[in-house]
C-alpha cells in the first residue's frame, strides 16, 4: 500500500524530507523539503536543473522533476526529524530514460515479463581517513595483514557500532562487520533483498557512512583505490533469481554441479559474455582500474579479478559460486552507481538466460599464482577508455539498458576520460623532465 508522505511525516514526527536522486556518475543529489510541502512534491515532484548535475541535458532543457517513491522512504536514525526518500526523475511528463533509478526499474520490469525477480546483496567496503582524505585516520593501524584485526576494529567501535545499530533499527538485518584487508578499511554486511530495495539501501548506506564518519571527525571514502599499495574498495554483489513472486529460488538445483540450475548457469553465462562491457558500469572511474589491474598489495593479494573467469568457492576469480542458489560477482568496486550496477547485472544475466549462454570452462586454480597459465580467458579492460569502448560495441547490452541512457553514459564518461588524459601529473615531470 502506497504511503502518504504527509501522513507519514505527522505519524513519525518528520520535519524535513531529503528528496534524493542519483546521477550518472553516482553522485547523490537532493532537495530538503519541509513536511508541510511534501504532499505537493509527492504529486508533482521536486524541481531540479538536470544540467547542474551529471546528466546529459543542457541548461535549455525544462525542469527535471524528482518524484519521491514513498515505499522507499527511510527515516534518518541519526537525525530522526529528517527522512530520506529516493526519487524517480521525470521530464516533459515522461520518465527521464537516462536517470539511473529509471534504468534499474526498466530492467526489473523486463525480468518480471519473463517471470523472474532478481534478489541481490552487496558487500560495501570503505576506508576511514583523516578529514582531508589524505591519510588513514588510525595511526596504529599498520599491520602487514590487517584483515579482521580485532584491535583495529575496536578502535573504531564508535563509528562501526553506530552504523550497525542504525541498520538494526532500520530492519536491514546486518549480520557482520569487520576490518578489511587494507589498513583503515572496513566492510559491513546486511541481508539481501529485491534488486531495487538493495540499490536504495546501498545508496542510503553510502550517505549514512559518510554522515556518521563526519560526525566523528573522519572522512569515509568508497573510492576504488584510495591508498597506493593497499587493497582497494570492492563492492561484491551476490545474486540469485527467483520466480515472479519471490518465493522460489530458480538458481537452486541439487542435481546439478555446485547446486546451480540451468537458469543459473545461463545467467552466469550472460555475465561472462558481457563482462568486459559491463565493467564500464561496475568499475566506472579512472581510478577503478588501479584496483582490478593492481600489482600485489602489501597484504599479499588484491582480492580483485583482472580476467574473465569463474570458479566454485575460490575468491581469485571474477565469479565465485560459493554454494547452491547464488553466485558472487567480484568485479564491482566502491565507485559503482548503486542503481546502474544492479541494472547491468540484470541486463547481462537475463540476456544470458534468453540466449542460453554458457559460462565456459570452470577453473579451480589460484588466479593470483597460476593465472598466467590460462591462455584463452579474456583480460578485463586495462583502463576506463577500453571499458567504454567495449561497452559502446556491445549492442545487446546497450539495447537492454536503453539507447538514450547508453549514449548519455558513454558521452559523459568519455568527457571524463578526456579530462583525465589532459591533466599533467607529477609522474610525467619526474620521469620525462630530463629527457
Amino acid at each position: 500500500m502506497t504511503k502518504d508522505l504527509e501522513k507519514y511525516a505527522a505519524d513519525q514526527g518528520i520535519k524535513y524530507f531529503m528528496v534524493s536522486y542519483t546521477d550518472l556518475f553516482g553522485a547523490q543529489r537532493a532537495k530538503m523539503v519541509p513536511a508541510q510541502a511534501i504532499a505537493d512534491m509527492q504529486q508533482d515532484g521536486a524541481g531540479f536543473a538536470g544540467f547542474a548535475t551529471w546528466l546529459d541535458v543542457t541548461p535549455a532543457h525544462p525542469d527535471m522533476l524528482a518524484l519521491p517513491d514513498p515505499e522507499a522512504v527511510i527515516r534518518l536514525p541519526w537525525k530522526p526529524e529528517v527522512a530520506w526518500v529516493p526519487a524517480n526523475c521525470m521530464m516533459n511528463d515522461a520518465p527521464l530514460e537516462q536517470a539511473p533509478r529509471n534504468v534499474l526499474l526498466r530492467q526489473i520490469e523486463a525480468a518480471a515479463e519473463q517471470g523472474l525477480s532478481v534478489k541481490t546483496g552487496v558487500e560495501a567496503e570503505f576506508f576511514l581517513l583523516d578529514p582531508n582524505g589524505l591519510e588513514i585516520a588510525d595511526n596504529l593501524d599498520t599491520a602487514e595483514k590487517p584483515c579482521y584485526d580485532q584491535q583495529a576494529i575496536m578502535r573504531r567501535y564508535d563509528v562501526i557500532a553506530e552504523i550497525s545499530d542504525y541498520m538494526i533499527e532500520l530492519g536491514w538485518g546486518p549480520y557482520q562487520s569487520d576490518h578489511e584487508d587494507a589498513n583503515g578499511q572496513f566492510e559491513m554486511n546486511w541481508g539481501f533483498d529485491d534488486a531495487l530495495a538493495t540499490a536504495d539501501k546501498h545508496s542510503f548506506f553510502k550517505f549514512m557512512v559518510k554522515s556518521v564518519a563526519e560526525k566523528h571527525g573522519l572522512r569515509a571514502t568508497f573510492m576504488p583505490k584510495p591508498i597506493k599499495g593497499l587493497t582497494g574498495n570492492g563492492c561484491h554483489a551476490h545474486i540469485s533469481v527467483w520466480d515472479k513472486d519471490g518465493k522460489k529460488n530458480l538458481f537452486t538445483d541439487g542435481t546439478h554441479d555446485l547446486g546451480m540450475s540451468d537458469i543459473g548457469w545461463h545467467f552466469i553465462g550472460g555475465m561472462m559474455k558481457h563482462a568486459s562491457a559491463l565493467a564500464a558500469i561496475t568499475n566506472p572511474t579512472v581510478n577503478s582500474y588501479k584496483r582490478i589491474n593492481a600489482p600485489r598489495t602489501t597484504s599479499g593479494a588484491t582480492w580483485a579479478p583482472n580476467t574473465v573467469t569463474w570458479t566454485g568457492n575460490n575468491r581469485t576469480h571474477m565469479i565465485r559460486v560459493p554454494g547452491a542458489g547464488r553466485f558472487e560477482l567480484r568485479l564491482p568496486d566502491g565507485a559503482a552507481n548503486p542503481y546502474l550496477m544492479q541494472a547491468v547485472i540484470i541486463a547481462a544475466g537475463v540476456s544470458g538466460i534468453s540466449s542460453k549462454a554458457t559460462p565456459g570452462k570452470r577453473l579451480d586454480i589460484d588466479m593470483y599464482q597460476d593465472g598466467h597459465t590460462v591462455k584463452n580467458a579474456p583480460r578485463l579492460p586495462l583502463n576506463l577508455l577500453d571499458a567504454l569502448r567495449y561497452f559502446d560495441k556491445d549492442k545487446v547490452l546497450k539495447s537492454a539498458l536503453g539507447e538514450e541512457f547508453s549514449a548519455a553514459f558513454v558521452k559523459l564518461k568519455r568527457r571524463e576520460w578526456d579530462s583525465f588524459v589532459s591533466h599533467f601529473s607529477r609522474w610525467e615531470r619526474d620521469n620525462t623532465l630530463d629527457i
Side-chain angles (χ1 to χ4, degrees):
M1 184 176 180
T2 300
K3 287 188 177 80
D4 180 322
L5 289 177
E6 187 174 42
K7 184 177 185 303
Y8 174 83
D11 292 344
Q12 300 294 324
I14 302 298
K15 294 181 180 179
Y16 291 96
F17 287 87
M18 299 296 291
V19 178
S20 174
Y21 73 92
T22 300
D23 68 19
L24 283 172
F25 283 14
Q28 295 185 48
R29 313 290 182 163
K31 281 196 171 181
M32 190 165 70
V33 176
Q36 59 263 35
I38 196 62
D40 290 339
M41 301 299 166
Q42 188 168 356
Q43 178 69 34
D44 301 321
F48 291 82
F51 176 74
T53 71
W54 292 114
L55 292 167
D56 185 27
V57 295
T58 72
H61 276 77
D63 280 353
M64 182 181 73
L65 299 172
L67 284 170
D69 182 348
E71 297 303 317
V73 65
I74 299 175
R75 184 180 184 180
L76 271 58
W78 66 95
K79 197 171 285 293
E81 70 270 24
V82 179
W84 176 89
V85 56
N88 299 323
C89 298
M90 308 284 290
M91 189 177 286
N92 291 326
D93 297 321
L96 183 65
E97 296 294 318
Q98 63 181 275
R101 200 170 191 266
N102 291 342
V103 175
L104 175 55
L105 287 169
R106 289 198 303 274
Q107 299 313 305
I108 293 170
E109 182 179 343
E113 288 174 356
Q114 297 192 38
L116 309 173
S117 65
V118 180
K119 295 180 183 288
T120 60
V122 294
E123 299 177 0
E125 297 174 346
F126 59 93
F127 279 77
L128 291 176
L129 305 177
D130 65 24
N132 294 319
L134 300 177
E135 302 287 344
I136 295 164
D138 182 357
N139 59 14
L140 297 179
D141 192 350
T142 59
E144 181 179 349
K145 282 185 174 288
C147 203
Y148 315 124
D149 189 317
Q150 184 169 262
Q151 295 300 125
I153 195 170
M154 285 304 295
R155 287 195 297 272
R156 287 288 170 249
Y157 174 85
D158 289 350
V159 175
I160 302 302
E162 183 173 342
I163 297 167
S164 187
D165 286 345
Y166 292 157
M167 288 195 285
I168 292 170
E169 181 181 333
L170 293 170
W172 288 13
Y175 56 90
Q176 61 185 16
S177 303
D178 65 77
H179 189 293
E180 261 298 326
D181 194 61
N183 308 107
Q185 186 185 41
F186 300 86
E187 179 183 305
M188 305 184 74
N189 305 127
W190 65 91
F192 73 97
D193 208 334
D194 293 331
L196 180 63
T198 292
D200 286 335
K201 290 175 184 177
H202 184 190
S203 185
F204 184 82
F205 178 78
K206 296 178 79 170
F207 170 45
M208 177 165 60
V209 168
K210 292 175 183 178
S211 298
V212 173
E214 289 173 4
K215 173 184 170 182
H216 289 268
L218 305 171
R219 183 170 182 177
T221 181
F222 295 83
M223 181 179 176
K225 188 78 167 179
I227 307 291
K228 182 179 179 180
L230 298 185
T231 304
N233 283 323
C235 188
H236 305 151
H238 290 259
I239 301 134
S240 55
V241 170
W242 300 60
D243 63 10
K244 192 172 183 178
D245 296 326
K247 303 297 184 184
K248 181 182 179 183
N249 187 339
L250 301 181
F251 275 6
T252 303
D253 187 337
T255 67
H256 282 51
D257 186 30
L258 299 175
M260 184 69 71
S261 69
D262 287 340
I263 287 177
W265 291 125
H266 294 324
F267 196 103
I268 292 173
M271 302 299 297
M272 297 286 287
K273 180 178 180 180
H274 297 285
S276 294
L278 65 85
I281 292 176
T282 57
N283 308 82
T285 68
V286 169
N287 180 258
S288 294
Y289 296 86
K290 289 180 168 61
R291 168 182 168 264
I292 62 174
N293 291 304
R296 181 177 296 180
T297 64
T298 57
S299 71
T302 65
W303 300 106
N306 61 19
T307 309
V308 183
T309 58
W310 74 274
T311 187
N313 198 353
N314 177 336
R315 287 181 169 86
T316 65
H317 294 255
M318 187 187 80
I319 286 178
R320 175 174 77 110
V321 183
R326 66 183 171 97
F327 73 91
E328 177 188 42
L329 178 66
R330 297 181 60 81
L331 178 59
D333 63 42
N337 186 308
Y339 299 100
L340 297 181
M341 182 177 82
Q342 300 293 334
V344 78
I345 287 170
I346 296 173
V350 170
S351 76
I353 293 174
S354 298
S355 65
K356 297 190 183 303
T358 59
K361 183 181 179 181
R362 170 180 170 179
L363 296 175
D364 291 321
I365 64 173
D366 181 341
M367 286 297 292
Y368 300 155
Q369 296 291 331
D370 302 316
H372 65 280
T373 66
V374 180
K375 303 301 182 185
N376 56 354
R379 283 290 301 269
L380 287 163
L382 293 175
N383 54 54
L384 178 61
L385 180 61
D386 285 348
L388 290 171
R389 286 169 171 165
Y390 279 118
F391 180 78
D392 206 19
K393 291 178 182 177
D394 194 323
K395 294 180 180 179
V396 171
L397 203 57
K398 286 170 58 179
S399 176
L401 292 170
E403 295 296 343
E404 181 180 325
F405 157 75
S406 298
F409 183 81
V410 170
K411 175 182 176 180
L412 294 183
K413 280 293 173 181
R414 280 186 180 272
R415 190 181 297 170
E416 180 180 358
W417 174 261
D418 290 344
S419 174
F420 166 68
V421 296
S422 67
H423 169 71
F424 284 85
S425 67
R426 177 62 184 267
W427 184 94
E428 290 172 276
R429 292 184 57 83
D430 289 347
N431 286 275
T432 57
L433 192 63
D434 294 327
I435 289 177

